[in-house]
Amino acid sequence: MAYQAAQVLAAHRTAMLEWTCRLEYAVYALPRPDINVFLDLPVDYANRLVRARGKHSYSDQVEDLHESDLTYLGDCRSVYQSLAAGSQGDGRWITVSCADQMNKIRDPIDIAGEIAHELNPLLIKTGSSGCHGQD
């Protein structure tokens, strides 16, 4: 949803999100998410990680079409932030900041721990004991 909405002018994003929701949930009858986890990372830092990674395994390029357009990625992040804030879209959102106050990537174990901390009460509440919701 975010990548589609980021392709239109900001003034039309709400309409694009509504259209996408109708298409996915009413027309295609896709299941609605129980929860969405937004792993938030500033675009400039994400770009540094992409460049440090090196070339893609499927091309000679370091960045793909989306990764090379920082304005587009910033728009995508903005849409995700809006969705996660609950002003648009569907479902419950958990936002996990992947960068610390010094704009350094957080330890993946800490990020995973925060996600687990946020999800655990929901799993207990639903009575799920399996990773796929099976008892």
Side-chain angles (χ1 to χ4, degrees):
M1 290 173 62
Y3 281 83
Q4 295 301 317
Q7 293 183 43
V8 299
L9 295 173
H12 302 292
R13 288 187 182 149
T14 299
M16 176 59 100
L17 288 168
E18 290 169 357
W19 179 84
T20 304
C21 282
R22 277 193 311 277
L23 180 67
E24 290 187 354
Y25 306 131
V27 176
Y28 293 138
L30 295 173
R32 292 180 182 271
D34 293 325
I35 189 122
N36 300 282
V37 179
F38 171 41
L39 301 175
D40 189 19
L41 187 64
V43 171
D44 62 330
Y45 195 80
N47 183 256
R48 283 186 267 156
L49 290 175
V50 166
R51 290 179 174 278
R53 174 195 65 209
K55 292 180 182 176
H56 285 280
S57 61
Y58 55 85
S59 79
D60 291 335
Q61 302 297 315
V62 172
E63 300 170 316
D64 67 18
L65 181 64
H66 295 302
E67 292 167 340
S68 65
D69 187 344
L70 299 185
T71 300
Y72 175 67
L73 290 179
D75 289 343
C76 289
R77 182 179 185 221
S78 177
V79 173
Y80 273 119
Q81 289 171 325
S82 178
L83 289 167
S87 61
Q88 299 168 312
D90 186 40
R92 178 162 180 223
W93 285 77
I94 293 170
T95 298
V96 176
S97 179
C98 295
D100 63 18
Q101 298 288 341
M102 302 299 292
N103 203 28
K104 301 234 187 244
I105 189 104
R106 291 175 53 203
D107 185 292
I109 298 297
D110 291 339
I111 294 168
E114 185 176 340
I115 294 168
H117 175 78
E118 292 290 335
L119 292 178
N120 196 42
L122 300 172
L123 296 175
I124 293 169
K125 186 177 180 181
T126 62
S128 174
S129 60
C131 65
H132 297 288
Q134 300 169 356
D135 290 327

